[in-house]
Amino acid sequence: QQQVKQSPQSLIVQKGGISIINCAYENTAFDYFPWYQQFPGKGPALLIAIRPDVSEKKEGRFTISFNKSAKQFSLHIMDSQPGDSATYFCARSDSSYKLIFGSGTRLLVRP
Amino acid sequence: EAQVTQNPRYLITVTGKKLTVTCSQNMNHEYMSWYRQDPGLGLRQIYYSMNVEVTDKGDVPEGYKVSRKEKRNFPLILESPSPNQTSLYFCASSRRTGGNEAFFGQGTRLTVV
């Protein structure tokens, strides 16, 4: 099974700091790399996604950086806020509809 | 409001007692799937369905069954639950083209004793 390796497992950041979560994948035959955000007691929800024909995508304080040669992609949360405290999952999919998720990163932003 | 609805939200049952977790979506999505979420393992796909009457195994299908008789509904069936099926379960739906947003339900926390 093609996997997505996500790190770190948990992350603590001070308010206003930068949160960085990294993911690595094994095969380049994927065309969609989303990040999902999950708050306690809720289902995951799409946060931001990127396709491999671009190296970076920014939406507000959230940025995905994609390094095709290194088979890595990362999520950067600028000016992290306590409301960003959640579990984040990276994922990948190809031309099928299946999403393969990373193991998740629990982010805590301290006030 | 576009949503995926799962029921029940919480369930405690005993080993071997058949149970069904329901899932319904109102977005006319073709693709539906079930995941289980376990600490340190992320979300793993159990079963998926590309359309009515079309279902297939995901990565961890053992001990589970599904059916897709209507487009909007995709129930998950545990014929004989065991304690290793204690987990948090999510149903999701999306349009049937790659690279589309998956919409998740609120989750069902199942405990098998």
Side-chain angles (χ1 to χ4, degrees):
Chain A
Q1 173 188 337
Q2 300 293 336
Q3 294 186 354
V4 177
K5 296 182 179 179
Q6 184 172 347
S7 63
Q9 186 173 1
S10 62
L11 181 61
I12 300 175
V13 175
Q14 289 296 126
K15 179 181 175 181
I18 302 174
S19 304
I20 302 174
I21 304 171
N22 299 300
C23 286
Y25 60 96
E26 298 176 342
N27 190 311
T28 55
F30 304 122
D31 61 7
Y32 180 62
F33 295 86
W35 285 87
Y36 280 78
Q37 180 188 53
Q38 182 184 30
F39 293 106
K42 302 292 186 181
L46 181 66
L47 179 65
I48 186 173
I50 196 170
R51 296 190 185 273
D53 53 349
V54 298
S55 60
E56 186 175 282
K57 182 175 182 179
K58 183 176 182 179
E59 291 185 0
R61 296 183 294 107
F62 300 89
T63 300
I64 299 178
S65 297
F66 187 81
N67 186 330
K68 192 172 183 178
S69 61
K71 298 181 183 179
Q72 295 176 344
F73 58 111
S74 60
L75 176 69
H76 291 64
I77 306 174
M78 311 300 288
D79 186 26
S80 298
Q81 300 297 311
D84 297 330
S85 297
T87 299
Y88 293 81
F89 294 96
C90 62
R92 57 84 170 151
S93 74
D94 53 20
S95 56
S96 70
Y97 324 114
K98 182 176 182 177
L99 285 169
I100 300 294
F101 287 90
S103 55
T105 296
R106 182 172 292 184
L107 171 66
L108 175 63
V109 181
R110 293 196 189 279
Chain B
E1 178 189 358
Q3 60 184 4
V4 177
T5 303
Q6 292 178 231
N7 280 296
R9 292 290 311 276
Y10 302 92
L11 180 59
I12 301 175
T13 191
V14 297
T15 299
K17 185 177 181 181
K18 181 180 178 179
L19 66 91
T20 299
V21 183
T22 64
C23 174
S24 180
Q25 51 96 1
N26 64 359
M27 294 167 280
N28 202 36
H29 287 162
E30 298 90 355
Y31 188 75
M32 298 185 73
S33 57
W34 277 101
Y35 294 87
R36 60 177 290 173
Q37 182 177 358
D38 302 290
L41 297 177
L43 293 149
R44 295 179 293 167
Q45 192 182 57
I46 302 170
Y47 267 94
Y48 65 95
S49 169
M50 292 193 186
N51 215 326
V52 176
E53 303 291 0
V54 181
T55 64
D56 207 348
K57 297 177 180 179
D59 299 314
V60 288
E62 294 76 20
Y64 305 95
K65 287 177 58 177
V66 293
S67 68
R68 187 92 180 272
K69 298 189 186 317
E70 303 169 282
K71 195 172 187 178
R72 64 184 291 125
N73 296 323
F74 191 45
L76 179 69
I77 303 158
L78 284 72
E79 294 270 3
S80 182
S82 62
N84 64 12
Q85 293 178 297
T86 293
S87 186
L88 179 59
Y89 291 87
F90 288 100
C91 178
S93 74
S94 64
R95 287 188 294 143
R96 199 181 66 179
T97 51
N100 276 292
E101 178 179 1
F103 292 82
F104 285 80
Q106 296 274 62
T108 296
R109 184 165 293 280
L110 172 66
T111 302
V112 184
V113 298

